[in-house]
Structure formats: structure tokens, C-alpha cells
Amino acid sequence: MKKQRSTMAEASSSIANLFDLLSEELVFIILDYLNDNNPQDKKSFSLVCKSFYSIESKHRRTLKPLRSEHLPSILTRYPQISTLDLSLCPRITDFSLSVIAMACGNTLRFIDLSRSKFFSGNGLAVLVANCRSLTALDLSNATELRDSAAAAIGEAKNLEKLWLGRCKLITDIGIGCIAVGCPKLKTIGLKWCLGIGDLGVELVAVKCKELRNLDLSYLPITSKCLPAILKLQYLEELILEGCFGIDDDSLTLLKQGSKSLKNLDISSCQNVSDTGLSSLTSGTGCLRQLTLAYGSPVTLDLARSLQRLSKLQSIKLDGCLVTCSGLQAIGNYCASLRELSLSKCSGVTDEGLSSLVKKQKELRKLDITCCRKLTCVSIAHVAYSCTSLTSLRMESCTLVPREAFVLIGRKCNLLEELDLTDNEIDDEGLKSISKCSNLSILKLGICLNITNEGLSYIGNRCSKLVELDLYRSMEITDSGITAIARGCPSLEMINISYCSGITDAALISMSKCAKLSTLECRGCPLITSLGIAAIAVGCKHLTKLDIKKCYRINDFGVLPLAHFSQNLKEINMSCTSITDFGLLSLASISCLQSMVILHLKGLSPRGLAAALLACGGLTKVKLHLSFKTLLPQPLFEHLEARGCVFQWREKMFQDELEDSKSWKLQVAELNNES
């Protein structure tokens, strides 16, 4: 026995020595091929031998840690980090930023703090002072930052990209410091920075001559700052969504538009009509994408203002009132469209849409969501005219008959995305659509005419399917899901919520889809712990799970999740049979961030408290309001200090509600008898 062990040890040592012979450059090439989406791959690689462990540490450039308290040890191991994503770390203090500054001072180029809190301008000052190579910084949602923090950011002389969305306390003074100190800025996002006005924006435009992308959404600005913006020589994207201070009168004073502008968004600018749009787009011959969503009515005059935009490829008119003449004119003036969005537009008729699409032979993406007046007439024109479509979204086009979907399948074979939620499609329609062999996203929620037969056509022919939505498609059962699981090995997301005929057999078949990351099966009362256990064992990439109202799932379903589903980030286990024991077992999942725990009859205050404390990475928890008084207030304060946000719900569970009504009726009857 000793001799056998000695032989095995020698063999293992020999293999390790062979690995040691590989050059560092060759191992780097091998690591380049590993999937960044699965950190377990690189972890397994680093455990092969000491040299691999060392080389993997040197190779890694991007890091997305789960806990801020691990930063010192992690950054010591990985000394070459250039991109640090802290979006999973809600608690980042000034001390954390100083640790990062000391460890990554020579290499760090991008840091994402968009989901982090508890740091101040002092921490940013240390970070900027030590990380001279910093080129990109995301501070979105840092609502407590003030002008002093902006002044610290202004010391980052090499900064090229900066996002400050919802930094509402930063004023013109603060953004002025950034503009003066960061002249190399090419991208800046100021969405919802309500303290910044015309002066601050004008300073940015004057000092940052290399700007390519500028987001000014919902800023209290007027047209006073626009002349300086439109003089920017390299500006390609300008977002003015919700800038209510911009109107036609001021826009007409503009002498010319931007010659370099490619993407303009003036959605929700209610005071801008065709007159102002014409002034704003004057001289913008390079414009390729125009967003006018939730704005002025799309009339003939507005469409005429687009005729100078010969290179326009994308128009988004979501939520606008459109006229038939307006759509017809867009079809005439914009002959090279690749994308058209009319989602939730009122006034879209067969006549208007048909006249538009007849001349759009190169259209790739069409969104007609909730255009409820459309019938087979316009869909036929779409099918015959737009044969190059890769994306068609037509949720809730309820007047479109079944035959139209057969036509779509016959003529639009290049479709990759198809949203038919709440439509009259049947099995014949699915049979025809299955000819779209490149289909990767298919949404069939609330399609009450489809059955397992139609779904089997999709499973047999659409092998590239990645996302499938069957929400409340009541006729779908196990055999249909099995056909999908067999024929679509790349499936990553499936929604079978409220398909009440589905059992564990469907989940067992889906467990063969190794890439599955999102499973929504709420309201499937026949699913038990056995099915969830199969998913846990087979689908190691699972990140989101919704088992609400799966009453037969208990702790025996959660335990395999705790052991195998180490990538799980979100779980909704409301109205199940899970108890304290099952909930506490989830603490072993270090990635877990969000839990919805409503109406668990087997859950006690003590068990809930233990689970909340044990799950150290939680950022959001949804609980019933009754627990707010049953648990000690210091517990919530401690968890909130760790970065966890609590959402409270008072709504009673349906069974409890019915019991309450029954009890009230009995009381009323007794009162009447007395």
C-alpha cells in the first residue's frame, strides 16, 4: 500500500513538473480562452499547481469581488488589476478606497462604484492621488457626494470617462472643477444631477474639447448651453431626455447643429416640436439615431424636419401620438432605416404602418408593442417588405389573427428576437416560426392557443434559442418543455410561471441545459423539491430563481441549491414550505444578494434573524411588515450598515385573506343572530 501511494505521489509530481515547463506567455494564452462569466473556471485552473496559481494571479486584469472586507487579501493576490467592478459591494468606505489606492496605484484604469455607498470626497481624493492612470470612474447613485468630492475628482488629469448619475448635490461649482481639471474627458454622464445648470454644462463644453458622449438627462437646463455643446468638434452622442427647459423658441436661435453628432435623444421634451427639432438638427448630416419618445405628436411637419438627415438609420418614437401622414412621410424621407420603434404609440394604424414599411427593405428591428389597432393587413406588408428583420417586437397586438404569424415565419427567416406576448398565435404559427433557425429570444407569454405540439417545433429547429418566455401559457406542460430542453442546449433563461400543468419532469429535463442562469417557475403547484434539486445539480450557472407559490418546495429543495448553486444571486421563495433550516442553509452561497421572503409559515423571527446575519452579501431583502416589530431594531441597523436595503410589504397572503374574510363573515352572522 505504501509503495502504491509512493508511486501515485511520484506520478502527481511528474505531472506538476510538466506543467512547470510551460512558458508564462503560453499559459497566458490558455487563460485568455477561459470564460470570464464563470469565475470557477479560473479558480480551478489556479489550483492545478503552484506555477499556475502564480501565473493566474499575474494574468488577471479584471476583478468583481463579492465582499469589501476581502479587498486587502484579494488585491494582494492580484497585483495587475486594471478594472475593478465593485457593483456587488454595497459598503465601500474611505478606508476601502485607500486600500485600493495603495494596492492598485500603478495599474488601475477603471473603477465602478455605482452601487456602493459610505465613501466620501476624502476617500476619492486618496484614490485619485495614487491612481494616476485612472481613465474611467463610475460614481452613479452617489447621492451624498458634494462639490468637495467633485474637486477631488478634478485631480484625475487622465480621466476620459465619468458617470455621475443622480449625484444631486453636485452643483455648477463642482462640475466646473471637473471640467477644468479633466480636459481629456470623452464621456460624461450627468443624468438627474439636479444641481447642475446651464453654467456648469457650458463649462464642460468649453473645457472638455474631446467630448464624444454627453448625457444631460433631466437637468434643469435651457437652450443657453446648447451653442457651446454643438461647437464640440468630436461630439457623437447627445442625450437631452426630460430637459423641460428646452423649447422651440430658444432652439430657433441656434445658428447650426453639430456636424459630428450621430445619436440625439430628446425624448420627453414636451416643449420641442418640429420647429425646434429642425433647428437642432440643422447641419447634423451625420445623424444616425434619433430618439423622440414621449414627445410631441409625429405629424407631417415633424417628419419633414427629418428629410435632411440622409444617413438616419434609427428612429424611436415610443409613446408618441402618431398620424398616418407622419408615418407615411417618414417612410418617404428616411429610406435607409435599420431600426424603427413605435412601442405604445397611439394612432398607429394599418394604413400608416403599411405605407411606412413598403420602402424600408433594409429594416432590421421593428417594435410595434401595444399598437392595438394593427391587423393582418399591416403585418403582411411587414412580412413581404422587411424580409431582413432580425428583431420584431409586437406584444399585445391583439387584433392580429393567427394566419399572420404563419406569414412572418415564411418571409422573415433571419429573425433572432421575436416577442409575441399576449397574441393569438397557435401551433401552426409556431411551426412556421421554427424556420427561423437563428432565433435566440422568443417570448410567448399569455399565448393561450399554443400547446406542446407547437413548442416541439421550436425545440426541434431553433437550436440557438437562449431565452424563452412562456408566462401564463396555460396549455404548456412537461412534454413541451422537454422538447425545448433536448433541442436548445444553449438555453440561459426560461419563464414557465403559472403554467400550472408543469411538474418535476420538466425541471429534470431542463437540468441538462448547463448554461441555464434564470429560472422563473412561480405559481407551478406541481413542482416539488425533487425538480429544484435536479436544477441545482445540473445548472451550475444559475443566478436567478423564482419559486414563489410553489407550495410543495421545502427544505429538501433548498439544501441542494445551497450546495451546488454557488452563483445564485437572486431568489424569491415566498409562499413555499421552506423553514428556518432551509433559509439558513443559503448562507453558504457567497454570491447571494437578493431574497424575497414573504408568507413562509415555517419561518420564525429567530430563524430569520440568524439567516440574515449569516448571509453576509445581502443587498436587498423583501419581508412582511410584521417582522419589523418582531425583530430587534439593532439587527436592522447592523444589516443596513453592511449595505442591505429592506423593503416591507403589508399585503396578506391570499389564503390568510380568505380565512380573515371567512372569520369576519362568521362574526357578522353571530351578531345578526344575537
Side-chain angles (χ1 to χ4, degrees), residues 460-619:
N460 291 334
R461 297 178 182 177
C462 301
S463 60
K464 296 180 182 179
L465 199 66
V466 172
E467 180 178 336
L468 177 62
D469 188 349
L470 297 167
Y471 174 82
R472 288 191 185 274
S473 293
M474 307 296 290
E475 297 300 316
I476 301 300
T477 59
D478 293 342
S479 61
I481 301 301
T482 301
I484 292 293
R486 287 175 180 169
C488 308
S490 299
L491 196 69
E492 296 179 9
M493 180 273 177
I494 187 167
N495 187 345
I496 51 174
S497 297
Y498 299 104
C499 296
S500 55
I502 286 177
T503 72
D504 289 336
L507 268 61
I508 292 171
S509 66
M510 279 195 293
S511 67
K512 305 297 189 295
C513 299
K515 295 182 180 180
L516 192 70
S517 61
T518 300
L519 172 60
E520 299 184 41
C521 55
R522 69 163 60 186
C524 295
L526 302 181
I527 290 177
T528 72
S529 296
L530 180 64
I532 292 299
I535 291 292
V537 173
C539 305
K540 299 294 196 305
H541 295 283
L542 194 69
T543 59
K544 181 179 178 180
L545 177 64
D546 187 346
I547 51 175
K548 180 180 179 180
K549 295 186 179 180
C550 295
Y551 308 109
R552 299 173 68 182
I553 295 176
N554 55 30
D555 294 343
F556 291 106
V558 176
L559 291 175
L561 287 172
H563 184 72
F564 294 103
S565 302
Q566 289 302 307
N567 290 313
L568 192 65
K569 295 179 181 177
E570 301 178 39
I571 184 168
N572 186 340
M573 51 191 135
S574 302
C575 311
T576 60
S577 299
I578 296 169
T579 69
D580 295 345
F581 181 69
L583 185 62
L584 187 58
S585 70
L586 294 177
S588 64
I589 305 177
S590 57
C591 288
L592 193 61
Q593 290 185 292
S594 174
M595 292 197 300
V596 182
I597 318 168
L598 297 171
H599 310 297
L600 295 185
K601 293 183 178 180
L603 183 62
S604 68
R606 180 172 294 182
L608 175 60
L612 292 176
L613 286 170
C615 297
L618 288 175
T619 59

Side-chain angles (χ1 to χ4, degrees), residues 385-414:
S385 301
C386 308
T387 55
S388 297
L389 276 179
T390 59
S391 174
L392 176 59
R393 298 178 181 177
M394 50 181 297
E395 176 183 346
S396 297
C397 293
T398 48
L399 293 182
V400 176
R402 303 179 185 188
E403 298 76 20
F405 303 103
V406 175
L407 192 59
I408 290 172
R410 286 177 185 170
K411 297 297 180 180
C412 303
N413 298 141
L414 300 178

Side-chain angles (χ1 to χ4, degrees), residues 549 551 575 599 651-661:
K549 295 186 179 180
Y551 308 109
C575 311
H599 310 297
K651 185 178 179 181
M652 295 178 67
F653 182 43
Q654 191 63 34
D655 291 348
E656 297 173 357
L657 194 62
E658 290 174 359
D659 291 343
S660 176
K661 289 179 179 178

Side-chain angles (χ1 to χ4, degrees), residues 221 223 240 242-252 266-277 293-297:
I221 58 173
S223 299
L240 299 170
C243 293
F244 304 112
I246 297 176
D247 56 28
D248 285 345
D249 293 337
S250 52
L251 286 176
T252 53
I266 53 172
S267 53
S268 299
C269 290
Q270 301 286 345
N271 299 320
V272 177
S273 68
D274 58 279
T275 306
L277 180 62
Y294 300 97
S296 298

Side-chain angles (χ1 to χ4, degrees), residues 617-668:
L618 288 175
T619 59
K620 184 172 71 173
V621 177
K622 188 179 292 186
L623 292 170
H624 193 272
L625 189 61
S626 59
F627 281 110
K628 198 168 187 177
T629 55
L630 295 174
L631 295 177
Q633 187 61 31
L635 173 67
F636 294 119
E637 293 173 357
H638 170 72
L639 293 169
E640 287 169 352
R642 278 194 335 199
C644 184
V645 176
F646 286 91
Q647 296 179 352
W648 302 99
R649 294 292 180 269
E650 193 174 4
K651 185 178 179 181
M652 295 178 67
F653 182 43
Q654 191 63 34
D655 291 348
E656 297 173 357
L657 194 62
E658 290 174 359
D659 291 343
S660 176
K661 289 179 179 178
S662 176
W663 180 79
K664 287 180 179 179
L665 286 172
Q666 292 176 22
V667 171

Side-chain angles (χ1 to χ4, degrees), residues 41-56:
D41 290 346
K42 290 186 177 179
K43 182 179 180 181
S44 300
F45 182 94
S46 67
L47 295 176
V48 172
C49 61
K50 289 182 179 179
S51 63
F52 275 26
Y53 183 91
S54 175
I55 293 172
E56 195 272 330

